[in-house]
Amino acid sequence: MMSEDRTTYWRSAFEDFEDATPLGFGQGESGISAPWEIQVPEETASHLLVAAWALLQSRYSGSPTVSLGFQGLDDTAPRPLRCAVDELQPGTMYLQSVKIQLEESPVSEADLREALRLDSLKPFFHATVFQSSERGSGVRGSGPYSDATIEMVRSHLARLLDVLDSEVSVRDSRHLSTEEQATLISAWNPEPTPYPEATAHELFEKRALEFPAATALIHGAQRMSYKQLNEDANRLARVLLELGVGPGRTVAFYLERGVAQLTVMLAILKAGGAYVPLDRDLPAARLGQMLADARPIVTISTSDLGEISSGTTEAELLFLDLIEEKLETRSSENLDVEVSPDALAYIMFTSGSTGRPKGVEVRHRGIVRLLAGVDYAPFSHETVILHLAAASFDASTFEIWGALLHGGRCVLSSSRVPSIETVGRLIAENHVNTVFLTTALFNLFMDTAPRFLRSLEQLLTGGEAATNRHFENALKELPSTRLIHCYGPTENTVFT
């Protein structure tokens, strides 16, 4: 039995341990699992061999913390190790941290299982670093790997053993050969896909010309064609121009999700301005803070929400329900306002989790880059996207413009926080084929009602770290759906 101090140490080292680190090589190889072994020079120091293998395993698996087995000259069986790999460290410092762990706190697998209260069937590691008077030194494991794969791993390990013991940072310790690096950088990375030198509203106008009668928006029983949406936005854009809106100017809106909200967004862009979505659930003080930072020239709302709006902004208020007659007198033709692809399109504010919320400026080029000429998801006039996100959450950029820039349909949810059943009904009734779900909502669907998502052609999810269990369930439950895991800060326009 381990002492209390050693128990505390190893519980700390393995406190977030879930599964043995995958080896990360030989992807796609199948067949009968067989033992494999990689020999290294006998004089290789144990801490150098462990450090090199941990670094290689970290790079193969993408995990900064790796688990492995170690069996030294005096060990009767492999003992578990867990190494944190900090690629910014000098090689010598990284080696020293591994050496300390090897020397100071040896623990048997049985004692560690008892300390962590882990199931005896759950492995700690998939490969063992060994030093033996009979078999020499190296790494061994088992799996359905070809001789070519094991030879590749051997060459990678040998390179790290040659370069790690130096002041060079771990990050600069290369394991790839010159040929492999060229393949990774050049052959596997084709030339960038060009995307249009255009603004978001210009691309929308092209779709309106191409598919005038096609349905652009669906909100409950309401349907709006591309022609009608374009004309309504043109009329409103002319009113905004009269109020001084133009390139470099911002316009805030404080509206419920609906056809009017999307018409407003499009009109602001057509007038050359940038839209600033205001979330109705935010307190007045936060809204006032956002408005003070964004300095909109106009705030658009409806008269029933006017009291809240007028209390939080000094910008001119424009109530949509009070200007209907004025809008009817304005031309429905496209405007001739010169707007650059590098012009500001919108400002969205961060959550403020690290302090005061900050407005992130996104340009037209960012929207176009996100959605035009991409291969992470197919877009066309047959795309039907469900719009669930608040306009102040950047996922709405994907949901709205992903449909409208391609002649597809955007289906708007009426509920601010729709239930699982509501989402399922919207998907089924409107033949939605593309949905983005936050990781938490994706996990909830996979745990409770994956059947609602089976008709989707593509399902995107992101925002937090994914879990293997939920994706494995998705692969089983949604065999015909393309799963796309996304990541990107607001500054990079939704997905990086």
Side-chain angles (χ1 to χ4, degrees):
M1 182 178 292
M2 289 194 292
S3 67
E4 185 175 341
D5 287 346
R6 290 183 65 210
T7 299
T8 301
Y9 172 85
W10 284 106
R11 279 181 177 168
S12 174
F14 279 81
E15 75 174 329
D16 57 348
F17 176 81
E18 292 184 358
D19 294 295
T21 308
L23 295 180
F25 56 79
Q27 303 286 347
E29 294 188 347
S30 60
I32 299 174
S33 182
W36 56 265
E37 186 171 294
I38 296 170
Q39 291 280 336
V40 302
E42 288 189 27
E43 64 272 15
T44 304
S46 58
H47 68 285
L48 175 58
L49 180 53
V50 169
W53 180 254
L55 174 57
L56 192 58
Q57 199 175 347
S58 174
R59 289 179 176 174
Y60 284 160
S61 67
S63 174
T65 305
V66 299
S67 59
L68 62 145
F70 174 72
Q71 186 170 6
L73 292 170
D74 298 326
D75 295 318
T76 57
R79 51 188 171 96
L81 291 177
R82 199 153 187 250
C83 299
V85 178
D86 181 357
E87 296 229 11
L88 297 180
Q89 282 185 323
T92 50
M93 187 179 296
Y94 168 56
L95 288 174
Q96 185 62 22
S97 68
V98 172
K99 187 175 184 179
I100 290 172
Q101 187 178 23
L102 279 176
E103 294 176 350
E104 292 193 355
S105 300
V107 63
S108 70
E109 183 172 339
D111 285 346
L112 186 57
R113 286 193 185 281
E114 183 179 350
L116 301 179
R117 301 181 182 89
L118 275 187
D119 190 304
S120 61
L121 298 178
K122 190 170 192 175
F124 279 112
F125 47 84
H126 294 306
T128 297
V129 173
F130 67 88
Q131 286 188 314
S132 166
S133 55
E134 294 85 17
R135 297 172 59 187
S137 300
V139 184
R140 64 171 179 258
S142 63
Y145 307 121
S146 66
D147 291 344
T149 294
I150 297 303
E151 174 56 27
M152 176 198 73
V153 176
R154 187 206 62 75
S155 67
H156 291 172
L157 181 61
R159 277 188 201 90
L160 289 180
L161 290 173
D162 285 341
V163 299
L164 255 185
D165 194 7
S166 69
E167 289 299 325
V168 174
S169 69
V170 175
R171 180 177 58 186
D172 293 330
S173 300
R174 281 177 44 186
H175 69 279
L176 297 175
S177 68
T178 303
E179 294 76 14
E180 287 172 326
Q181 192 148 342
T183 299
L184 183 67
I185 295 173
S186 301
W188 290 355
N189 284 283
E191 289 297 313
T193 303
Y195 56 86
E197 280 289 314
T199 62
H201 60 276
E202 286 172 345
L203 293 180
F204 168 80
E205 289 169 356
K206 289 181 179 179
R207 300 293 86 78
L209 187 64
E210 188 178 1
F211 307 107
T215 300
L217 305 177
I218 299 176
H219 186 210
Q222 185 179 8
R223 276 163 168 70
M224 179 174 277
S225 70
Y226 272 84
K227 183 176 185 293
Q228 184 181 353
L229 176 57
N230 190 48
E231 291 179 349
D232 286 358
N234 286 338
R235 293 187 179 97
L236 178 56
R238 285 185 161 83
V239 172
L240 294 176
L241 284 174
E242 295 164 10
L243 295 174
V245 176
R249 299 288 193 138
T250 57
V251 179
F253 63 80
Y254 187 77
L255 298 161
E256 293 278 10
R257 184 191 298 116
V259 168
Q261 186 185 79
L262 272 65
T263 304
V264 164
M265 295 166 70
L266 185 55
I268 294 168
L269 297 184
K270 283 172 170 280
Y275 59 83
V276 183
L278 302 176
D279 193 327
R280 288 196 54 208
D281 292 330
L282 292 177
R286 173 69 65 84
L287 292 174
Q289 205 175 68
M290 294 163 63
L291 289 163
D293 286 348
R295 291 175 293 188
I297 188 173
V298 178
T299 296
I300 301 175
S301 186
T302 53
S303 57
D304 58 322
L305 302 175
E307 183 178 346
I308 299 175
S309 299
S310 61
T312 57
T313 178
E314 295 179 359
E316 182 161 353
L317 286 172
L318 186 66
F319 296 126
L320 293 178
D321 52 325
L322 302 184
I323 62 165
E324 291 177 355
E325 292 184 5
K326 179 187 287 190
L327 289 172
E328 290 176 3
T329 67
R330 300 306 188 266
S331 170
S332 63
E333 296 298 315
N334 288 336
L335 287 76
D336 187 20
V337 178
E338 188 173 340
V339 183
S340 164
D342 290 313
L344 198 60
Y346 64 78
I347 297 175
M348 284 191 184
F349 283 80
T350 60
S351 62
S353 57
T354 59
R356 181 186 176 98
K358 296 180 175 60
V360 176
E361 298 180 336
V362 174
R363 305 185 182 280
H364 282 266
R365 189 180 300 281
I367 301 174
V368 175
R369 188 278 313 164
L370 171 70
L371 297 162
V374 297
D375 60 5
Y376 66 88
F379 295 100
S380 73
H381 65 281
E382 296 180 344
T383 299
V384 186
I385 302 181
L386 183 57
H387 176 22
L388 291 172
S392 57
F393 176 37
D394 66 349
S396 64
T397 303
F398 169 83
E399 295 173 338
I400 296 167
W401 301 112
L404 297 185
L405 299 193
H406 296 91
R409 277 173 283 161
C410 181
V411 178
L412 287 67
S413 168
S414 298
S415 306
R416 287 199 205 176
V417 186
S419 65
I420 294 284
E421 290 74 18
T422 297
V423 174
R425 178 177 53 78
L426 286 170
I427 291 173
E429 291 179 355
N430 298 286
H431 306 289
V432 171
N433 55 32
T434 304
V435 169
F436 171 80
L437 300 175
T438 60
T439 300
L441 189 53
F442 169 78
N443 291 348
L444 182 61
F445 266 103
M446 289 303 102
D447 286 337
T448 61
R451 66 186 184 280
F452 289 140
L453 306 178
R454 285 182 185 138
S455 64
L456 295 177
E457 293 177 12
Q458 49 262 348
L459 172 58
L460 299 92
T461 183
E464 301 173 55
T467 58
N468 289 341
R469 177 172 65 85
H470 291 102
F471 264 86
E472 286 168 358
N473 194 30
L475 290 170
K476 180 179 73 173
E477 296 286 347
L478 312 175
S480 301
T481 301
R482 181 178 184 179
L483 298 175
I484 305 161
H485 188 253
C486 312
Y487 168 78
T490 301
E491 290 83 350
N492 282 23
T493 315
V494 192
F495 308 141
T496 296

